[in-house]
Amino acid sequence: MDVDDRFDRADPSEESAVYVISVAAELAGVHPQTLRIYERKGLVRPKRTSGNTRRYSKRDIDLLRQIQEMTQEFGINLAGVKRIIEMQAELAALRARMQDLEDQLRAADPPARREGQIVPLQSVLLPPWIGEGRP
């Protein structure tokens, strides 16, 4: 999963790329060169203007602060930070998928129809001490 997948369900107001690199660096508490390194490592991808100038959004600034916390306070290297960010994005996508599936399940099988009913199992796996453990 790509680092940018974390933006799939983002608030549009947080995605407005308005900060130039010097302002973004100041807001995140880092040097502008650090932002260039983060971009080169694939940790952050600022938007670009037609003149190829970097523009950072509020979400980018929040991400930069998170990266700083992980590297400074927890001593995690940039490769580790990138993997953590990817895993966070994957977890968010899986949670969203799970919610979608739960919604589909509720819509397909209303609770009023299920309550109080015995549902037959398709197969039963018996423990080895009972029978042959057949499915």
Side-chain angles (χ1 to χ4, degrees), residues 8 13 48 56 60 112 115 121:
D8 285 348
S13 65
R48 297 284 186 148
Y56 294 85
D60 291 332
E115 289 179 16
L121 296 175

Side-chain angles (χ1 to χ4, degrees), residues 2-70:
D2 192 72
V3 172
D4 281 345
D5 290 341
R6 68 187 180 282
F7 296 127
D8 285 348
R9 296 175 188 256
D11 179 6
S13 65
E14 292 186 2
E15 293 305 310
S16 300
V18 295
Y19 303 106
V20 295
I21 192 168
S22 59
V23 173
E26 186 175 334
L27 290 171
V30 297
H31 191 276
Q33 188 62 33
T34 303
L35 299 187
R36 292 182 186 96
I37 292 169
Y38 289 173
E39 183 180 5
R40 208 172 22 246
K41 298 279 186 183
L43 295 171
V44 65
R45 289 193 190 155
K47 305 283 190 284
R48 297 284 186 148
T49 65
S50 57
N52 207 28
T53 304
R54 293 173 181 87
R55 293 281 193 254
Y56 294 85
S57 67
K58 167 86 169 81
R59 184 166 306 276
D60 291 332
I61 303 299
D62 292 342
L63 177 61
L64 293 170
R65 288 178 179 151
Q66 182 183 10
I67 293 168
Q68 277 303 104
E69 180 182 22
M70 285 189 271

Side-chain angles (χ1 to χ4, degrees), residues 54-111:
R54 293 173 181 87
R55 293 281 193 254
Y56 294 85
S57 67
K58 167 86 169 81
R59 184 166 306 276
D60 291 332
I61 303 299
D62 292 342
L63 177 61
L64 293 170
R65 288 178 179 151
Q66 182 183 10
I67 293 168
Q68 277 303 104
E69 180 182 22
M70 285 189 271
T71 58
Q72 299 299 313
E73 292 184 29
F74 302 120
I76 301 171
N77 65 22
L78 295 181
V81 169
K82 183 173 183 177
R83 185 66 185 129
I84 290 169
I85 292 169
E86 289 169 346
M87 289 173 24
Q88 288 173 336
E90 187 175 348
L91 179 60
L94 288 170
R95 284 181 173 157
R97 177 71 176 138
M98 184 178 70
Q99 185 63 50
D100 290 343
L101 291 172
E102 286 176 355
D103 293 345
Q104 289 175 16
L105 183 59
R106 277 189 208 92
D109 193 12

